[in-house]
Amino acid sequence: MHTDTTQTRTRLFRAVTIFASGMGAAILALWAMDIAGLDLAGRSDASVIGAIVLGLATLAGAGSAHAYFVGSDDTSDAYEMLLNTDPVTGLLSRKGFADALVRQMEAEDNASGLKRSFLISLDFDSLRDFNDVYGMETGDALLKVFGERLRRIVDDAGLIARTSGGEFVVVLAGTHDERELRAAVDALLGVMSLPVRVGQASHSVFWNAGVAEIHHRKSSVERMLRNANLARANARTASRGTWSIYHPEMSQVAAYRSWIEAELHGAMQREELHLNYQPKVSASTGETLAYEALLRWNHHRKGIIPPSEFIPVAEHCGLIQQIGDFVLRQVCEDLTVLPPHITVSANVSPAQFRRDDFVPNLARLLTETETDPARLEIEITESLLIRNHVAMRRVLDSLRELGVTLAIDDFGTGYSNLSNLSELRFHTLKIDKSFVDRLGDHDPSAGAMVSSIVGMARSLGAEVVAEGVETDAQATMLKAAGCMIMQGYLYGRPVPLSTILREQQADEEADEREALLDQADNVYRLPSLAAAG
Ligand code: C2E
Ligand code: CA
Ligand code: CA
């Protein structure tokens, strides 16, 4: 039945095309004769007309043949369908979404009312990690699961598309106010962020979302998508798992990044970059064991610009190499004035670490500054390690040969399990602040998770540092879970080296005073003791 209709439609289409080509040719012929000043009714040069008609007939023939072989309404329908559908999830593609939204906007253009529509752009930023660790097939299967989740939540109420990678777009129609919108987006993210299971392992899922209002008359779909994505990027900068609503100021963010890039060049020359040091403290004794070097930019006009704003730009524009060299050199120099039992860790960006000359340059620096390699630790984020597991191993081996230790930073934000990383033989594991925060939220699973991370790290012979410890309650729970090194505002904020040296000196002076007092005490007491005796 279906094939019959298909064939009829195809035949009809061809006939219409051929007819249209013929008509086109006829019109063209009349028009050409008009131009040539020829008159069909009057005396005419038969050979000229013959040539023209022959040429046009050929054209018409070619046109109809072209239509016959290339196009039928069904193949073009199928082609259109292909373009409009995302092959992985079966949802709309970016193009399909844009077309559908334009149609919807046109239909609703005249419908007035108090209801508003919003475009929500969602991004699952760890798709690449999943692909790297488990393979593309698992990544695709994951996208299908996400697509299904969206279908179930949104149902027929709105358009859903996968626009690229782990990026999905949803239209939320018929919302009254911002409160309703907030509730809806929270619910959406709540469902999308449910953990996923791959084999035996359950993985946390983080989404960021951006929302832009659909203004029927004024805006193009592309502009609205751009705005929603900008809002999403803004939310991502603040924290994983969050969302925000587009605000025109966000367009200035892009401009701000260009400004940073331009200014960063001068910052190096003007010596506006310096390091702050944050202590890592023994949970049992309260003693400072080490420091983490954290970069600061004190711009001559703007003041302090946080690393979260300029490091990504530096990585993007390549300046991170120069900046990274500066950090490592400064750390080596500062180590000479810190007590010999203190170690310092430096953050190294993936872009720095990937360069072939990273280890040789570091070796040269250590020799030049006469630094004991054992006092330097390199912090690398977990995501970098899982992305380039094999290549990383070589670099890490040569780092270890140098005698420099390695810390895995932000552990728990990527998707590696510890056994994956165990071959890398790292020295320190830093539990990400997001876990520590969850401890504070009395999330019972977080405590169990931290305990198991500590247990596994210990069995691998690694130290565990908890990052971002802010409250006594968190510290107590971390200690109960077996974590013995703490870093966070509760123990000390990042401060310039001069502050540390001043405090060090004050401590030494206090110790001396105490010793003198003890002596004085003894001197004073001795006679009285003697008298008593
Ligand atoms: P990170 O390596 O995870 O550094 C820890 C961040 O947490 C630091 O932010 C630190 O100041 C902050 N922090 C520490 N304790 C607490 C706490 O109790 N509460 C809260 N809310 N925050 C705490 P900072 O200094 O802004 O650095 C941000 C990120 O910038 C660093 O994250 C690191 O990824 C990057 N970064 C900093 N310095 C460098 C550097 O020299 N090179 C590279 N490549 N990246 C750097
Ligand atoms: Ca770090
Ligand atoms: Ca960290």
Side-chain angles (χ1 to χ4, degrees), residues 292 347 379 409 430 467:
E292 175 176 2
N347 292 283
E379 292 197 10
D409 205 357
K430 301 192 77 179
E467 292 187 308

Side-chain angles (χ1 to χ4, degrees), residues 427-438:
H427 182 266
T428 308
L429 190 76
K430 301 192 77 179
I431 300 183
D432 190 64
K433 184 176 188 306
S434 55
F435 275 99
V436 177
D437 287 346
R438 278 167 61 194

Side-chain angles (χ1 to χ4, degrees), residues 83-227:
L83 281 181
N84 287 343
T85 312
D86 166 44
V88 179
T89 59
L91 299 172
L92 291 169
S93 65
R94 190 187 184 93
K95 180 183 175 301
F97 177 80
D99 292 351
L101 185 55
V102 167
R103 278 197 300 276
Q104 188 172 315
M105 277 160 53
E106 279 165 2
E108 286 172 10
D109 220 8
N110 300 319
S112 61
L114 296 173
K115 292 191 173 175
R116 298 152 70 185
S117 302
F118 295 90
L119 191 150
I120 307 167
S121 160
L122 302 127
D123 186 53
F124 171 62
D125 64 0
S126 303
L127 182 65
R128 209 174 125 189
D129 293 344
F130 268 91
N131 282 337
D132 287 348
V133 175
Y134 294 110
M136 294 282 279
E137 270 174 27
T138 305
D140 283 358
L142 207 60
L143 290 173
K144 280 198 188 90
V145 169
F146 293 149
E148 271 316 307
R149 285 182 181 177
L150 277 176
R151 262 199 200 101
R152 252 180 292 133
I153 314 163
V154 180
D155 207 9
D156 292 335
L159 302 171
I160 319 169
R162 184 173 78 107
T163 39
S164 73
E167 187 184 278
F168 293 80
V169 185
V170 170
V171 167
L172 186 72
T175 311
H176 288 95
D177 55 23
E178 209 163 294
R179 203 169 42 95
E180 240 179 62
L181 170 72
R182 287 192 178 279
V185 181
D186 283 340
L188 189 70
L189 284 190
V191 173
M192 294 307 284
S193 308
L194 291 172
V196 288
R197 184 170 282 283
V198 182
Q200 295 301 311
S202 168
H203 293 284
S204 315
V205 170
F206 297 94
W207 290 85
N208 282 104
V211 179
E213 182 155 9
I214 297 174
H215 295 289
H216 291 218
R217 266 168 253 266
K218 327 190 262 208
S219 39
S220 75
V221 172
E222 274 311 312
R223 152 102 29 116
M224 286 185 298
L225 272 172
R226 208 165 47 236
N227 291 350

